[in-house]
Amino acid sequence: MTATTAPEAPVAQRLSRLDRYLPVWIGVAMVVGLLAGRWVPGIADALDAVSVGSVSLPIALGLLVMMYPVLAKVRYDEVGAVARDTRMMVLSLVLNWVLGPALMFALAWIFLPDLPEYRTGLVVVGLARCIAMVIVWNDLACGDREAAAVLVAVNSVFQVLAFALLGWFYLDLLPGWLGLSTTGLEVSPWEIAGSVVVFLGVPLAAGYLSRRLGERRRGRDWYEQRFLPRIGPWALYGLLFTIVVLFALQGDTITSRPLDVARIALPLVVYFALMWAGSLLLARRAGLGYARATTVAFTAAGNNFELAIAVAIAVFGVTSGQALAGVVGPLVEVPVLVGLVYVSLWARRFFPDTAGAPS
């Protein structure tokens, strides 16, 4: 009699309850934030008042809690080998700093030709390349953590150097060349650098020190099998807290202007879908395996909405149309990219290195 092997349990059943119902928790967090911003008197003003410069402390707290567990998982001793993958690095740079902003500029003018404030807000969102939540999406989609850390670091450096320059190009110079109306963007590179330090530098340093000190004192097995499982859920707790705060800040505006929100949301949905799918296909064509192709796709599709909102508020004001467009960004990005996590896991079967993997 031949022994048979029991079929492996479906992936969903092997996930924790928090992970398995992630889209539900995110939806609940959005609703809670929107209702709080709409019906709790003064909550938006109270949250907005707790800030240092253009950095909201509640948002910064949520992002630090969200980012630290994921960055603590990175094996930093393998980062050097990842950075030597020139195909991945060049492809990511082109997607993030050439194709991404150009696509958002085109979609903003196609869908919002009569709404200059919202159009400008979308262009600002397109210029703010992702340096935060992409690590969470990448981790959920079984992407390459070390590659994500490298690409996020590269995006951070480019963001400091290129954001203001690209803002001038897409909001002033290019529309002038095309005979379109222009809207200027004046933002200090120091504000951008400060945002990068808060939202990436602090959790990156904490994650690096945790792994270095933890492995030195207790060994890699203890660190990865005992310590990381304890802190892992806090990444999603931080994500949900951040979503509640973001939507509470603009809850009244979002719920009182549903048609405007829908018009802003449509080009964003098209943008995220095109950037993610196109990036994944290009990465596969370039010969990247599933893990790194997924990382390239999510880093290209995601946007640094924290920076976009901070810039829009600092330059145009908290009640401006540009700020509303910035807030609608995560309203669309979070559910769309969560959905793309599932699409990515399903698409593993089309990559040679993961052919036949369970979806």
Side-chain angles (χ1 to χ4, degrees), residues 122 247 254 260-262 264-265 268 272 309 323-333:
L122 284 186
F247 288 97
I254 291 173
D260 286 359
V261 170
I264 297 169
L268 285 168
F272 293 131
I309 293 171
L324 177 60
V327 172
V328 173
L331 176 66
V332 176
E333 178 176 349

Side-chain angles (χ1 to χ4, degrees), residues 12-88:
Q13 294 181 14
R14 290 184 279 125
L15 294 174
S16 68
R17 181 172 296 179
L18 183 64
D19 289 334
R20 191 185 312 169
Y21 298 107
L22 177 62
V24 176
W25 310 139
I26 289 176
V28 170
M30 288 179 176
V31 172
V32 170
L34 288 171
L35 294 179
R38 178 77 175 182
W39 290 333
V40 178
I43 188 172
D45 293 336
L47 289 172
D48 191 53
V50 186
S51 60
V52 176
S54 60
V55 176
S56 168
L57 292 183
I59 292 176
L61 175 62
L63 288 169
L64 290 175
V65 173
M66 179 188 77
M67 295 281 287
Y68 166 69
V70 181
L71 289 171
K73 294 179 182 179
V74 174
R75 292 183 174 180
Y76 292 95
D77 54 350
E78 299 177 9
V79 166
V82 173
R84 289 193 290 272
D85 187 341
T86 55
R87 291 176 303 170
M88 182 189 71

Side-chain angles (χ1 to χ4, degrees), residues 163-354:
F163 188 96
L165 179 62
L166 288 174
W168 168 74
F169 176 77
Y170 280 106
L171 295 175
D172 284 325
L173 190 60
L174 184 57
W177 287 350
L178 299 176
L180 306 172
S181 60
T182 61
T183 303
L185 175 66
E186 297 179 2
V187 57
S188 166
W190 296 110
E191 291 180 1
I192 299 172
S195 178
V196 171
V197 168
V198 170
F199 297 131
L200 175 66
V202 172
L204 181 62
Y208 173 79
L209 290 174
S210 292
R211 178 169 282 276
R212 187 174 180 85
L213 297 176
E215 289 189 356
R216 179 183 296 176
R217 294 180 180 179
R218 306 291 294 272
R220 175 163 287 188
D221 288 343
W222 173 87
Y223 184 83
E224 295 190 344
Q225 296 175 17
R226 300 288 298 275
F227 179 72
L228 290 182
R230 292 177 184 172
I231 66 171
W234 285 93
L236 297 182
Y237 299 152
L239 171 63
L240 297 177
F241 173 80
T242 303
I243 291 170
V244 170
V245 173
L246 279 170
F247 288 97
L249 283 170
Q250 288 273 356
D252 184 65
T253 304
I254 291 173
T255 54
S256 63
R257 294 194 232 168
L259 292 179
D260 286 359
V261 170
R263 288 198 62 183
I264 297 169
L266 183 57
L268 285 168
V269 171
V270 175
Y271 171 84
F272 293 131
L274 287 178
M275 280 300 296
W276 183 86
S279 300
L280 192 70
L281 290 173
L282 287 173
R284 188 183 185 282
R285 181 69 61 88
L288 298 181
Y290 170 78
R292 291 192 178 180
T294 296
T295 299
V296 168
F298 278 103
T299 52
N303 289 89
N304 184 2
F305 62 80
E306 311 88 20
L307 178 61
I309 293 171
V311 169
I313 291 175
V315 177
F316 303 106
V318 69
T319 60
S320 65
Q322 291 89 343
L324 177 60
V327 172
V328 173
L331 176 66
V332 176
E333 178 176 349
V334 170
V336 169
L337 291 190
V338 167
L340 289 175
V341 166
Y342 290 92
V343 177
S344 184
L345 292 171
W346 169 83
R348 285 186 298 177
R349 67 192 70 190
F350 300 110
F351 285 80
D353 62 325
T354 53

Side-chain angles (χ1 to χ4, degrees), residues 87-158:
R87 291 176 303 170
M88 182 189 71
M89 299 299 294
V90 171
L91 180 60
S92 180
L93 287 173
V94 171
L95 288 168
N96 274 284
W97 298 101
V98 179
L99 296 181
L103 176 61
M104 186 69 88
F105 174 85
L107 292 173
W109 277 96
I110 290 170
F111 285 94
L112 302 171
D114 58 327
L115 297 171
E117 288 191 0
Y118 298 155
R119 187 177 64 238
T120 298
L122 284 186
V123 173
V124 173
V125 171
L127 298 178
R129 310 313 300 167
C130 195
I131 65 170
M133 281 192 177
V134 66
I135 295 181
V136 176
W137 312 138
N138 177 77
D139 211 45
L140 291 172
C142 301
D144 188 318
R145 288 190 193 125
E146 288 69 38
V150 170
L151 295 182
V152 162
V154 170
N155 273 349
S156 302
V157 173
F158 268 80

